[in-house]
Amino acid sequence: MTLFLIAMLIVVALLLVEIPVAFAFGIGALIFAYTTGNDVSFLIPHGFKTASGFSLLALPLFIFAGILMAEGGISERLLNFVNAFVGRIKGGLGAVTVLTCALFGAISGSSSAAIAAIGQIMIPRMVREGYPVGHATALVACSSVLALMIPPSIPMIVFSITGGLSVGAAFLSTIIPGVLLTGLYCLLNFWFLRNDENIKVDAPLQFRQAAKGVLNSGLNAGFALLMPILILGVIYSGIATPTEAAAIAVIYAIPVGLWIYRGLSLRTLGSATVKAVTMTGSIMAVLFFLFIMSRAMILEQIPQELATSLLQLSDNKYVILFLLNILLLLIGMLVDDISGSVLAAVIFLPVIQQLGIDPIHFAAVVGVNLGLGNVSPPCAPMLYMAGGVSKLSLDQYITPTLKFLCFGHLPMVFIVTFIPELSLFLPRLLLGY
Amino acid sequence: MSHQDPLCAIDRERVFDYDPELSSHPAVPPRSNALLQNGNGGGKNLISKIERALDWTFRALMVTTGLALAFLMFAQVIMRYILESSFTGIEEVAVLLGVWIYFLGMGYATRVHEHIHGGVISLIVSDPLKLGVIRFAGSIISMIAACIFGYFACKYALFVIDKGRLSINLQWPRGLWSGSMIVGFSMMAGYFFLDAANQFIAIRALRRNQT
């Protein structure tokens, strides 16, 4: 255990000096394997065999589908659609941002893509309409992580495959928390801006005009909105596996982008493919080294030792869940969501199983916690990325971010942790889980 | 490489950017991207030409494998429901394309600095020289790690090739699968090396400017 802790400290130190996450874990795995006498020659085949699992092919295909839709020009259409509902009330543009990020997440599955696509349009638009720039940036950063909770979610694919769980059930577990968090962020946005006199609001439309606007923008965004329905529909009706559903989504997104939305050309199709493969590579690098690290940990019975240590602190499952929340938050603050989900599956699932906690409930806890970690400094990739879009330094938007996190995401973490029915309702209803 | 070439037009815009330097820290110099293109050779020296040819090849392979995987998996659904016969070899080919996508992607992510990373150094160190030195050390450490893992990956891949193992359904040599690791780790080690070289040149230039 001491050697493992030393290896993890080295990993953290390497992460802090900006060594790529994959190589930080790779070096940690090497050090741990050598000091414990494990032969790296036997660990590499394990990493390769786990990475070449058929079910993991869903990962590149979902990434590809998301990039194709994002490149195909869906962001403006989604924004117009949501704007037709809530755009003409005070704080409505903020709600449009939150709702569009959630919808965009359901299509692309990537929070960074949500910031790039939605943030670049909505931050300047909100600032023009009198929103404080810090508020606008914080809202985009916090809402972007909704993409991790609304399926298809890439961290959930990775978590369920690593933990040997049903991908479909893991997808469903975070839907209700994701929808609730979307609503909570909308409410908080209205609440924080209630006394702001600078915000401009367009005059409300008559019912007929408003209905016409909703219908037109809905038709315009229809093909994009159909994609998550298509993906989830084919998975939960049993027509296709998640991997095949992802391929269907890619094949659907190509003609939509090329001929219907006309955002794609044959040239940008090539560009989108390279982006998807590169993004897949960067994620798979992390997974490959984490699979090696996890094998070395399992050989040394580290998960069991950790479980015993945690259970020695308390045998009350709520206390353990609370402790796990803190640990997951710390992991989320230090590493990205993908690495966090693998670590959670490898290290914490044995503890969860010993305590009799449902692993699908734990999948939701992991999803919500890692989302929070993604916008919590020091390593808060989504937070920095949103700041990059608005050209603000962290101190200019950290206060509104913390307000959103403390009153929005953090309570949701506890709600999901201590009310398992919230995450288990849909898997039970749709999959008889 | 001609500008009419579609692969040449593939842009280098980042999607999956986890870079803390995006927080627009005024003193942080941008990461140099794909080296040697910024070098003094102006794209005319031999190394630069080789690098560009490799770049084109990797992009072509990535586009081919990425699209082939999507169409193959779609074909599997079509075969199952429309032709009512599934071909078990599809899964083997899909995994073959998958592992090539993973390792080509890993290598190319090194070239375009798309590897996921966090850290706080860019936020707290404002001296470009110090930051350059830290990044240089990071590239060297990553390169060594890539070389070590690459060595073990080659050992495993060559073992599989030597044994002449074949896949179950298609009876294709298993080396086709494990060979992807050799290419991926070679790309990573090579690009980290070029990155380190580029950073070393930048550090020397900064030192010269400071003195």
Side-chain angles (χ1 to χ4, degrees):
Chain A
M1 182 59 109
T2 313
L3 292 172
F4 171 70
L5 290 175
I6 292 169
M8 288 316 284
L9 279 176
I10 292 168
V11 170
V12 171
L14 292 171
L15 287 174
L16 290 176
V17 293
E18 296 180 14
I19 300 274
V21 176
F23 291 92
F25 279 109
I27 293 163
L30 265 182
I31 293 168
F32 184 59
Y34 274 114
T35 50
T36 51
N38 284 300
D39 190 348
V40 183
S41 305
F42 294 109
L43 296 177
I44 293 277
H46 172 79
F48 184 70
K49 278 175 190 158
T50 316
S52 35
F54 180 75
S55 50
L56 208 54
L57 291 176
L59 187 80
L61 292 169
F62 272 126
I63 290 172
F64 194 10
I67 288 182
L68 285 175
M69 285 308 268
E71 299 270 311
I74 56 163
S75 24
E76 277 283 358
R77 287 174 174 84
L78 287 178
L79 283 170
N80 291 338
F81 175 64
V82 181
N83 195 49
F85 286 97
V86 286
R88 287 172 185 271
I89 47 177
K90 190 174 179 182
L93 220 48
V96 169
T97 307
V98 178
L99 292 167
T100 315
C101 277
L103 280 175
F104 197 88
I107 293 163
S108 77
S110 160
S111 47
S112 53
I115 291 182
I118 308 297
Q120 279 177 6
I121 301 170
M122 287 311 286
I123 293 176
R125 198 186 279 185
M126 281 193 277
V127 172
R128 261 200 318 274
E129 298 296 317
Y131 285 64
V133 65
H135 175 93
T137 309
L139 193 61
V140 167
C142 295
S143 312
S144 72
V145 295
L146 292 169
L148 306 180
M149 297 165 69
I150 313 262
S153 152
I154 290 161
M156 280 298 106
I157 297 175
V158 171
F159 178 82
S160 44
I161 289 171
T162 313
L165 308 174
S166 151
V167 176
F171 273 175
L172 288 174
S173 70
T174 50
I175 290 184
I176 293 179
V179 171
L180 286 178
L181 190 58
T182 306
L184 197 53
Y185 276 151
C186 287
L187 290 176
L188 286 173
N189 164 68
F190 288 127
W191 178 256
F192 293 153
L193 297 174
R194 69 195 184 284
N195 294 325
D196 197 320
E197 299 298 328
N198 297 322
I199 293 172
K200 298 170 202 161
V201 189
D202 291 339
L205 294 173
Q206 286 185 334
F207 179 74
R208 184 171 285 199
Q209 279 178 303
K212 201 177 166 188
V214 168
L215 188 69
N216 284 340
S217 57
L219 286 173
N220 214 2
F223 283 99
L225 293 169
L226 201 63
M227 188 151 133
I229 299 168
L230 180 76
I231 293 171
L232 298 181
V234 295
I235 294 175
Y236 297 117
S237 61
I239 292 173
T241 62
T243 310
E244 292 165 346
I248 293 170
V250 173
I251 301 302
Y252 172 81
I254 291 174
V256 169
L258 280 176
W259 298 303
I260 297 170
Y261 287 168
R262 293 172 187 274
L264 276 181
S265 62
L266 286 177
R267 193 171 280 192
T268 51
L269 178 63
S271 148
T273 316
V274 170
K275 272 183 195 174
V277 173
T278 310
M279 193 192 282
T280 304
S282 64
I283 293 173
M284 282 310 297
V286 175
L287 291 184
F288 181 78
F289 289 118
L290 274 172
F291 288 147
I292 290 173
M293 178 90 174
S294 66
R295 182 68 181 168
M297 282 163 57
I298 289 165
L299 287 172
E300 291 302 310
Q301 299 196 320
I302 297 296
Q304 286 84 345
E305 281 188 41
L306 274 172
T308 314
S309 311
L310 268 174
L311 292 171
Q312 274 171 354
L313 293 173
S314 169
D315 55 359
N316 182 319
K317 74 174 184 180
Y318 293 105
V319 175
I320 297 290
L321 273 172
F322 181 75
L323 289 173
L324 287 180
N325 267 325
I326 295 171
L327 290 171
L328 282 169
L329 180 61
L330 288 174
I331 288 177
M333 287 163 76
L334 285 169
V335 299
D336 62 290
D337 45 336
I338 311 284
S339 322
S341 46
V342 176
L343 285 174
V346 173
I347 300 175
F348 299 136
L349 261 184
V351 185
I352 289 304
Q353 279 156 352
Q354 280 194 32
L355 278 170
I357 295 166
D358 196 302
I360 293 298
H361 168 218
F362 186 61
V365 174
V366 170
V368 182
N369 259 300
L370 294 178
L372 180 59
N374 258 309
V375 279
S376 306
C379 299
M382 295 309 125
L383 196 61
Y384 298 134
M385 196 172 169
V389 171
S390 60
K391 306 286 177 228
L392 291 186
S393 59
L394 188 58
D395 56 306
Q396 291 171 285
Y397 61 99
I398 189 69
T399 311
T401 303
L402 289 177
K403 278 162 71 179
F404 275 114
L405 295 183
C406 291
F407 295 108
H409 210 127
L410 198 59
M412 189 50 64
V413 166
F414 290 117
I415 289 171
V416 172
T417 305
F418 298 113
I419 309 177
E421 287 72 25
L422 205 66
S423 38
L424 293 175
F425 175 72
L426 283 179
R428 280 175 185 158
L429 183 75
L430 295 174
L431 300 175
Y433 178 76
Chain B
M1 195 164 52
S2 151
H3 283 285
Q4 300 304 315
D5 189 336
L7 283 167
C8 175
I10 289 170
D11 64 296
R12 287 144 205 272
E13 184 192 326
R14 292 173 178 199
V15 172
F16 200 59
D17 208 319
Y18 276 103
D19 205 330
E21 73 201 21
L22 275 171
S23 62
S24 71
H25 196 300
V28 175
R31 278 175 191 273
S32 50
N33 209 14
L35 70 176
L36 295 180
Q37 288 188 347
N38 308 327
N40 297 328
K44 286 175 188 162
N45 63 45
L46 184 66
I47 299 174
S48 186
K49 278 182 184 169
I50 293 171
E51 206 274 330
R52 283 183 189 194
L54 280 175
D55 180 43
W56 189 92
T57 313
F58 292 142
R59 281 164 178 263
L61 278 171
M62 285 193 283
V63 172
T64 312
T65 48
L67 288 172
L69 177 64
F71 281 101
L72 193 74
M73 292 312 301
F74 184 69
Q76 189 176 30
V77 181
I78 297 294
M79 283 177 79
R80 191 191 310 138
Y81 290 105
I82 298 176
L83 305 178
E84 291 185 352
S85 72
S86 56
F87 171 48
T88 46
I90 282 188
E91 290 200 1
E92 277 183 3
V93 183
V95 172
L96 173 67
L97 291 169
V99 292
W100 277 93
I101 285 174
Y102 302 156
F103 285 96
L104 282 170
M106 282 183 207
Y108 205 75
T110 315
R111 187 191 191 278
V112 293
H113 298 288
E114 282 287 336
H115 275 298
I116 302 168
H117 63 88
V120 287
I121 288 297
S122 302
L123 297 172
I124 54 177
V125 177
S126 55
D127 181 354
L129 184 63
K130 281 182 190 161
L131 198 65
V133 172
I134 292 167
R135 282 180 178 174
F136 172 70
S139 294
I140 295 288
I141 292 170
S142 304
M143 185 188 73
I144 293 168
C147 287
I148 295 171
F149 279 104
Y151 164 74
F152 287 111
C154 286
K155 210 171 131 183
Y156 169 65
L158 293 174
F159 169 77
V160 172
I161 293 166
D162 276 351
K163 285 275 172 190
R165 286 182 183 165
L166 301 173
S167 66
I168 297 164
N169 292 306
L170 297 170
Q171 296 288 300
W172 288 1
R174 299 291 310 174
L176 287 174
W177 280 257
S178 49
S180 61
M181 278 200 295
I182 300 178
V183 174
F185 279 107
S186 305
M187 283 171 80
M188 282 189 269
Y191 283 130
F192 274 126
F193 171 74
L194 290 173
D195 220 9
N198 213 30
Q199 282 156 348
F200 182 71
I201 294 165
I203 291 167
R204 277 209 321 190
L206 274 171
R207 273 211 182 124
R208 225 175 286 138
N209 288 345
Q210 281 185 355
T211 52

